[in-house]
Amino acid sequence: MNKALAEIIAGVIPHKMTRNRWRGILRFGPINALKLRRELRKHRDQKPGIGLAVCAIAKNEGPYFKEWIEWHKRMGVEKFYIYDNGSTDCTADVLRPYVEAGVVDHIPFPGRKRQLAAYDDCLRRHRYDVRWLAFIDIDEFIVPLKDPDIPTFLKRFEDAPAVEINWLIYGSNGQTENDGRPVMERFTRHSVPDHPLNRHVKSIVDPRRVYNMIGCHEAARINGRAADEKGHPVRVSFRDRQPSQEVIRINHYAVKSREEFVEKQNRGRASGKQRPVSEDYFRQYDLNDLE
């Protein structure tokens, strides 16, 4: 079912969480959902060979990949599925050694508005060979605070179809230019934890228990409820609950330096959104309240 029709049908459901879930199911397609359930029964005894993988779609993010991959490798990620939305920079060169080592699959994925299509493709291809699959962007770093790595954190969520992790927005630190140092070293000031923007989440999902991603934040679950960082079942939309970053968080470097922000806005986004350079957007995300 196409996205527009799914939006119309789901739009009549009054409860936001239910509406969002059905938005994803309808886009996946009711017939496809029934087929998937039958397929899942056939594969129920198949053991996944990869414990934790990341799926991301990116365009001209080449200079940022090494730090991002190395960080998440240290945090327990075994595999990266990088969907390349028509990059013309150094992306292929930076990723090549990781591809040769078997750590990265570099998948050409050109076109407009391809983010959800990339996520759908990744779930379809890796539903049975990955235990946990995280959907994040290259400017987002998963940071466990109570555990040595992400797999240790996830051991407490064996019964959950998805885990939703809140953002913590990092600002520009007053920097106007890119001096070439690593992102996490350059940008050390962030918003207050309960800032409304930090209500946004990203998801780590059990591929066998979700149909697809509703958008870039939530998954359409086959059964069960998503959990928050503390293991509580999610009962209201992330937009309607207070952010929580005591156990794990996602450092979101939304603007970086002023120079990098302008470059990012000008090159467009894999989601299809291309914003004009907006001072309002920069001010909204340039949050430097705490060190």
Side-chain angles (χ1 to χ4, degrees):
M1 183 179 295
N2 67 46
K3 185 177 179 180
L5 185 55
E7 289 288 333
I8 292 170
I9 296 173
V12 304
I13 300 173
H15 184 257
K16 188 182 294 186
M17 287 281 291
T18 306
R19 179 169 67 246
N20 284 349
R21 181 175 178 231
W22 275 99
R23 182 178 286 122
I25 294 172
L26 290 169
R27 189 176 62 81
F28 187 75
I31 294 175
N32 289 334
L34 290 172
K35 289 180 179 177
L36 175 59
R37 284 176 171 271
R38 288 197 297 269
E39 184 182 288
L40 286 166
R41 287 194 289 270
K42 294 178 183 178
H43 290 271
R44 61 177 174 264
D45 296 325
Q46 183 176 332
K47 302 296 184 183
I50 297 169
L52 174 62
V54 165
C55 176
I57 184 166
K59 182 175 183 178
N60 291 335
E61 299 273 7
Y64 303 104
F65 270 114
K66 187 175 190 300
E67 178 188 5
W68 182 82
I69 290 172
E70 291 296 335
W71 170 266
H72 286 101
K73 281 176 62 183
R74 290 197 298 274
M75 294 299 107
V77 175
E78 300 170 45
K79 187 79 175 185
F80 300 82
Y81 304 110
I82 307 299
Y83 286 76
D84 189 340
N85 189 230
S87 294
T88 56
D89 66 350
C90 61
T91 289
D93 292 333
V94 174
L95 293 182
R96 187 171 294 114
Y98 295 107
V99 172
E100 292 172 352
V103 174
V104 166
D105 284 1
H106 183 197
I107 305 126
F109 213 70
R112 293 188 67 253
K113 298 185 178 180
R114 298 288 277 162
Q115 185 172 34
L116 289 185
Y119 292 174
D120 289 347
D121 184 77
C122 195
L123 279 167
R124 179 178 61 82
R125 292 175 182 272
H126 304 292
R127 198 175 292 277
Y128 304 107
D129 57 4
V130 174
R131 173 64 182 90
W132 290 105
L133 184 58
F135 292 93
I136 58 174
D137 296 327
I138 313 304
D139 59 2
E140 297 172 331
F141 291 70
I142 304 174
V143 181
L145 302 171
K146 302 289 188 180
D147 299 285
D149 52 40
I150 304 166
T152 303
F153 163 78
L154 289 170
K155 286 179 181 178
R156 299 192 289 275
F157 297 87
E158 290 298 320
D159 295 330
V163 184
E164 296 183 359
I165 304 172
N166 282 105
W167 278 352
L168 185 66
I169 300 289
Y170 278 72
S172 70
N173 271 57
Q175 297 174 31
T176 58
E177 297 179 350
N178 180 1
D179 64 12
R181 288 181 295 139
V183 168
M184 297 182 86
E185 180 182 326
R186 286 190 287 145
F187 306 108
T188 59
R189 300 195 66 85
H190 58 76
S191 63
V192 293
D194 62 353
H195 191 285
L197 282 175
N198 291 329
R199 294 184 180 187
H200 287 81
V201 298
K202 287 300 179 76
S203 295
I204 305 178
V205 310
D206 177 348
R208 302 188 192 204
R209 295 187 62 191
V210 302
Y211 292 112
N212 57 7
M213 293 297 290
I214 300 165
C216 63
H217 302 288
E218 302 167 287
R221 308 171 315 280
I222 294 173
N223 54 45
R225 287 187 179 275
D228 67 14
E229 62 155 10
K230 296 178 180 176
H232 301 144
V234 170
R235 299 185 183 279
V236 297
S237 169
F238 64 86
R239 291 182 174 87
D240 298 323
R241 62 183 192 262
Q242 287 299 307
S244 177
Q245 306 116 336
E246 296 175 20
V247 182
I248 196 169
R249 71 184 187 224
I250 291 181
N251 288 10
H252 184 27
Y253 300 92
V255 295
K256 302 187 180 77
S257 68
R258 186 71 173 78
E259 176 187 38
E260 290 162 284
F261 170 74
V262 172
E263 289 175 352
K264 182 176 181 178
Q265 300 303 297
N266 285 336
R267 71 175 174 254
R269 297 154 66 94
S271 63
K273 299 175 183 177
Q274 184 163 1
R275 302 185 180 100
V277 176
S278 167
E279 289 299 329
D280 288 341
Y281 183 89
F282 186 82
R283 281 194 295 269
Q284 183 184 13
Y285 282 83
D286 186 22
L287 301 172
N288 304 279
D289 304 299
L290 300 171
E291 179 72 27

